[in-house]
Amino acid sequence: MMGYSAKSLEAIYANRKPLLTALTSLQVSEVIIRYEGGSDSGEVSDLCLLPENAEVSQQLTTKQIKYHCLAGEYREGEYHYHLEEQLMSLDAALRDFALTWVDAHHGGWENNEGGAGVITINVAEPNFQLEHIEYYTESTGYEHTL
């Protein structure tokens, strides 16, 4: 899994500038991405652009950018990860970016009780912030003998 995390971070840094360039061209000042998961699955639950604009929201799915996707290949008894450049909609790229970033720092976040969080991209500064919450069940055991 170590190779995955290292390549995830490489993908995050490779995709930062293309995302900012695309968002700037649409005059987006801020992006808020919410994600959540549990029971072994997780996904982006909400993607909000500021300022809110129906035309820009529509362009989110049609505007294409060059995006570095994380790809893995199983050989010689282990996974080998690399980046593949692909054309992808800005919407799909933002969603993939969010989940790749979360996985890089909190691998397995979607398992068992899961987790949730918010990624905020302040386009003008430029600043990317990840706030993550992990869910878990706590228990306390007792034993009594008479």
Side-chain angles (χ1 to χ4, degrees):
M1 226 26 175
M2 292 304 286
Y4 176 82
S5 293
K7 282 295 175 186
S8 294
L9 290 172
E10 187 178 328
I12 291 161
Y13 287 109
N15 289 312
R16 189 175 190 274
K17 185 173 181 173
L19 288 172
L20 287 170
T21 300
L23 292 166
T24 300
S25 75
L26 295 175
Q27 298 179 339
V28 172
S29 62
E30 189 173 56
V31 179
I32 301 167
I33 305 168
R34 297 181 195 292
Y35 63 91
E36 59 187 336
S39 299
D40 302 336
S41 74
E43 62 187 41
V44 170
S45 57
D46 187 43
L47 197 153
C48 176
L49 303 177
L50 298 174
E52 291 184 24
N53 179 324
E55 185 180 321
V56 171
S57 293
Q58 184 179 11
Q59 289 179 3
L60 197 62
T61 58
T62 59
K63 184 170 185 67
Q64 300 280 306
I65 68 167
K66 288 183 182 178
Y67 185 81
H68 296 89
C69 296
L70 184 62
E73 178 183 350
Y74 189 78
R75 66 177 192 275
E76 301 168 8
E78 61 185 26
Y79 278 97
H80 298 268
Y81 297 97
H82 61 280
L83 300 183
E84 291 180 355
E85 188 175 272
Q86 297 179 4
L87 272 180
M88 182 180 287
S89 75
L90 182 54
D91 180 78
L94 285 166
R95 291 171 187 274
D96 185 78
F97 179 86
L99 296 181
T100 300
W101 194 13
V102 174
D103 283 341
H105 291 287
H106 304 282
W109 67 271
E110 73 284 5
N111 294 329
N112 303 316
E113 287 81 12
V118 176
I119 292 174
T120 305
I121 303 171
N122 183 318
V123 179
E125 287 190 13
N127 182 29
F128 289 62
Q129 183 173 347
L130 167 61
E131 298 174 54
H132 179 75
I133 300 168
E134 291 181 1
Y135 302 134
Y136 61 93
T137 301
E138 188 175 314
S139 63
T140 304
Y142 300 93
E143 183 177 321
H144 305 277
T145 305
L146 271 179

